[in-house]
């Protein structure tokens, strides 16, 4: 049984991401564009770990998104989590940071936890 942590953008965060061109307004029909959107979605899930905003776990965590690095190797994308009690900050691949609002944290789900985030993660600038 796999454990996971989901960082799920709020509706407002999604609207902002669409307005900024981070994601398309509608799910694309083109397969490359679909793969891009699917990868972006998978990047919001840390696999094999449950992380609460309790100050206990910090560090680099593997997400469900993998890509080919410059050497052509399949590489799991990570997020850097800095976790102090009621103050969890996630840094994405672009060095952008998302601060978790403690009022939107720690929703228990099957085999994991879900957090609502007010800003989406970015895979590239």
């Amino acid at each position: 049984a796999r454990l996971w942590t989901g960082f799920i953008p709020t509706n407002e965060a999604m609207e902002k991401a669409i307005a900024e061109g981070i994601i398309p307004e509608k799910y694309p029909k083109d397969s490359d564009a679909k793969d891009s959107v699917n990868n972006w979605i998978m990047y919001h899930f840390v696999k094999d770990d449950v992380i609460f905003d309790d100050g206990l776990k910090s560090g680099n965590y593997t997400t469900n998104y993998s890509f080919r690095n410059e050497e052509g190797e399949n590489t799991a994308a990570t997020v850097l989590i800095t976790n102090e009690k009621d103050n969890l900050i996630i840094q994405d691949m672009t060095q952008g940071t998302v601060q978790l609002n403690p009022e939107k944290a720690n929703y228990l789900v099957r085999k994991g936890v879900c957090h609502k985030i007010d800003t989406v993660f970015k895979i590239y600038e």
Side-chain angles (χ1 to χ4, degrees):
R2 254 200 174 146
L3 301 175
W4 59 276
T5 302
F7 295 99
I8 310 302
T10 61
N11 290 340
E12 294 80 13
M14 292 295 288
E15 289 168 11
K16 184 177 178 211
I18 290 167
E20 293 176 357
I22 296 168
I23 56 170
E25 190 169 347
K26 294 189 172 157
Y27 192 71
K29 294 184 181 182
D30 172 77
S31 67
D32 285 343
K34 281 182 185 178
D35 288 346
S36 179
V37 170
N38 291 343
N39 289 337
W40 177 82
I41 292 168
M42 291 296 109
Y43 189 51
H44 287 77
F45 293 88
V46 168
K47 63 183 185 178
D48 300 325
D49 225 321
V50 177
I51 304 162
F52 295 93
D53 69 341
D54 54 11
L56 297 179
K57 292 183 178 182
S58 290
N60 270 312
Y61 288 89
T62 302
T63 69
N64 212 34
Y65 164 50
S66 62
F67 62 96
R68 293 221 180 268
N69 66 14
E70 291 164 3
E71 292 80 36
E73 301 163 329
N74 210 21
T75 304
T78 61
V79 288
L80 176 62
I81 295 179
T82 304
N83 189 355
E84 298 170 359
K85 180 138 179 60
D86 298 326
N87 185 29
L88 191 140
I89 298 170
I90 310 104
Q91 186 177 63
D92 66 25
M93 294 171 70
T94 69
Q95 312 306 307
T97 58
V98 176
Q99 185 159 10
L100 178 63
N101 179 339
E103 293 176 7
K104 297 178 182 177
N106 306 323
Y107 293 89
L108 295 179
V109 294
R110 179 173 287 180
K111 300 182 196 264
V113 65
C114 199
H115 307 288
K116 293 180 185 179
I117 56 174
D118 294 321
T119 307
V120 301
F121 297 164
K122 294 179 185 172
I123 295 175
Y124 51 84
E125 282 296 336

